Amino acid sequence: MPQKALDESTDVSDTAQVLIFIRGVDKSYEVYEELLDIDSIHGMATGADIFKGVENAINKKNLRWRNLKSIITDGGKNMCGKNKGVVALVSKAVENDSESKPLVLHCIIHQQSLCGKCLDMSEVLKSVISVVNFIRSTGLNHQQFREFIEDIGENDLPYHTAVR
């Protein structure tokens, strides 16, 4: 019973990055989630452009539209538009393959962001952001930090950015 989750954000080079996740339940009722594909869209990220990326991901993995039971997106117009949004286009593809409509869920993909808006973590975040920006502010600080985290087996530290 696969479910698709789509999220689109624009990176620093004004390229829309679309993440396509697939969630499902296997025969032993274990829930799994995998990143199905990443699609980069230059210019406008219309519903048709995003749908084309989803369609390519479905075809690359030899998946069937009829197996898609639900879709989760944010509330963007390109995602939820009544006629040209990704949800409408995916729903048409599922209906053409199986004569049933997928369940459409809104904003579950951003649970952490929604929870973060309810909690006042500003004092904690000020300190964390200050430390991260100090580490990334000069080459020497960042180089010493990278050597430290390599020793403990972790990844590099990105700059803090606010999520819209």
Side-chain angles (χ1 to χ4, degrees), residues 6 18 25 28 51 54 60 65 76-77 79-80 91 100-101 115 118 124-126 131-132 138 145 150 155:
L6 301 170
V18 180
V25 179
S28 62
F51 175 74
V54 172
K60 269 196 278 188
W65 287 109
K77 187 175 179 181
M79 292 289 185
C80 298
S91 294
S100 68
K101 286 188 174 187
C115 289
C118 295
V124 174
L125 286 176
K126 281 181 191 174
V131 169
V132 168
T138 65
F145 184 76
E150 281 176 16
N155 295 325

Side-chain angles (χ1 to χ4, degrees), residues 7 9 21 33 37 51 75 80 91 94 100 131 150 152 156:
D7 190 24
S9 268
F21 294 90
E33 177 179 82
D37 205 359
F51 175 74
C80 298
S91 294
V94 172
S100 68
V131 169
E150 281 176 16
I152 62 172
D156 199 5

Side-chain angles (χ1 to χ4, degrees), residues 8-86:
E8 173 260 325
S9 268
T10 303
D11 64 14
V12 293
S13 65
D14 289 331
T15 302
Q17 302 294 335
V18 180
L19 302 176
I20 306 165
F21 294 90
I22 187 167
R23 295 181 185 134
V25 179
D26 63 16
K27 291 178 183 177
S28 62
Y29 300 105
E30 294 290 324
V31 177
Y32 62 90
E33 177 179 82
E34 294 180 25
L35 178 63
L36 184 64
D37 205 359
I38 299 173
D39 190 32
S40 298
I41 301 173
H42 303 280
M44 294 290 292
T46 65
D49 295 330
I50 296 170
F51 175 74
K52 196 180 309 177
V54 172
E55 189 174 39
N56 289 339
I58 295 278
N59 292 335
K60 269 196 278 188
K61 303 293 183 180
N62 295 320
L63 300 174
R64 302 287 309 261
W65 287 109
R66 73 178 56 187
N67 295 329
L68 181 68
K69 302 302 177 196
S70 66
I71 183 169
I72 302 171
T73 69
D74 62 12
K77 187 175 179 181
N78 58 352
M79 292 289 185
C80 298
K82 186 166 74 169
N83 298 316
K84 298 179 182 178
V86 177

Side-chain angles (χ1 to χ4, degrees), residues 85-128:
V86 177
V87 170
L89 297 171
V90 167
S91 294
K92 286 178 192 170
V94 172
E95 286 180 64
N96 290 340
D97 197 29
S98 69
E99 298 180 16
S100 68
K101 286 188 174 187
L103 175 67
V104 177
L105 301 172
H106 175 72
C107 277
I108 292 176
I109 197 168
H110 296 292
Q111 289 176 356
Q112 296 91 342
S113 178
L114 293 173
C115 289
K117 289 179 181 178
C118 295
L119 300 174
D120 184 17
M121 301 276 297
S122 58
E123 290 304 311
V124 174
L125 286 176
K126 281 181 191 174
S127 300
V128 171

Side-chain angles (χ1 to χ4, degrees), residues 142-153:
H142 189 213
Q143 181 182 2
Q144 289 173 337
F145 184 76
R146 281 198 338 233
E147 289 172 7
F148 168 71
I149 60 175
E150 281 176 16
D151 290 343
I152 62 172

